[in-house]
Amino acid sequence: MGNLNLKGYVSSRPFLDEFLPQQIQNLVIRDFCLKYRNNYLLSAVEYAMNNTYSILEETIENIKYYDGIVAYTLFQLPRNSELRQNMLNRILKQKKVIHFALEKIRVEKYTDILIIESIYQSRLSIEKNKINIENIKLEIMKTLI
């Protein structure tokens, strides 16, 4: 797992309603690379616009210049499952890897994509249930007033 040249990927916008400054994301990525003895190549920074993955697309296009990508979290990937899986498949098709530093997950084979999908879908489900619970609370409060 060590001695890989990994291009960092950070976001300048919230991901799944969470926001972390780029500086902190880069610290986590750098620490991850040090811990697993990989070479950290400076991070590409995604645009702040919602649903834009231009920089991630560009990083995947240029992956031939490094051994893989290390992103802060897997939740920086697109919400759209088809787009997310397409990006991961393109990385693997080029015999490269992608790491997610926060979760300490490495995607190096196609079955790993299923794990990513499972985690991502579980998180989306939790998020949806939180919204439903908040709506129920609001409805109960209305009946009490």
Side-chain angles (χ1 to χ4, degrees):
M1 185 161 154
N3 296 325
L4 298 176
N5 291 314
L6 299 175
K7 180 71 172 170
Y9 175 73
V10 298
S11 185
S12 56
R13 65 171 178 247
F15 31 89
L16 284 186
D17 298 327
E18 293 181 25
F19 177 78
L20 202 62
Q22 293 172 31
Q23 181 181 11
I24 305 299
Q25 294 176 55
N26 279 314
L27 285 172
V28 171
I29 290 171
R30 188 186 73 203
D31 183 60
F32 175 87
C33 286
L34 284 171
K35 181 177 181 177
Y36 294 103
R37 296 188 200 106
N38 292 306
N39 301 314
Y40 170 43
L41 307 176
L42 292 180
S43 292
V45 181
E46 191 58 74
Y47 294 119
M49 298 170 288
N50 285 337
N51 299 317
T52 301
Y53 298 94
S54 301
I55 300 301
L56 181 55
E57 288 286 355
E58 183 180 302
T59 305
I60 293 169
E61 283 291 315
N62 293 317
I63 203 166
K64 62 187 169 221
Y65 299 114
Y66 25 86
D67 299 311
I69 300 167
V70 57
Y72 169 70
T73 178
L74 66 93
F75 298 109
Q76 290 171 296
L77 294 171
R79 280 182 174 253
N80 178 290
S81 179
E82 187 177 331
L83 181 57
R84 186 170 55 248
Q85 289 181 41
N86 177 276
M87 287 178 165
L88 295 172
N89 277 311
R90 287 177 25 228
I91 292 166
L92 296 182
K93 191 173 186 177
Q94 296 180 67
K95 303 210 182 321
K96 303 294 182 170
V97 298
I98 184 166
H99 298 262
F100 300 103
L102 187 64
E103 296 85 9
K104 296 179 180 65
I105 294 175
R106 174 183 170 121
V107 177
E108 62 183 337
K109 53 189 183 296
Y110 291 101
T111 53
D112 295 337
I113 294 173
L114 298 175
I115 295 166
I116 297 299
E117 278 304 299
S118 177
I119 294 168
Y120 208 107
Q121 292 301 327
S122 295
R123 175 68 187 269
L124 289 176
S125 179
I126 289 168
E127 185 179 284
K128 183 179 175 185
N129 286 332
K130 282 196 313 193
I131 292 168
N132 289 340
I133 289 169
E134 290 304 314
N135 288 338
I136 291 168
K137 285 180 187 176
L138 286 173
E139 290 302 316
I140 291 171
M141 293 303 290
K142 285 179 187 175
T143 61
L144 297 174
I145 298 175

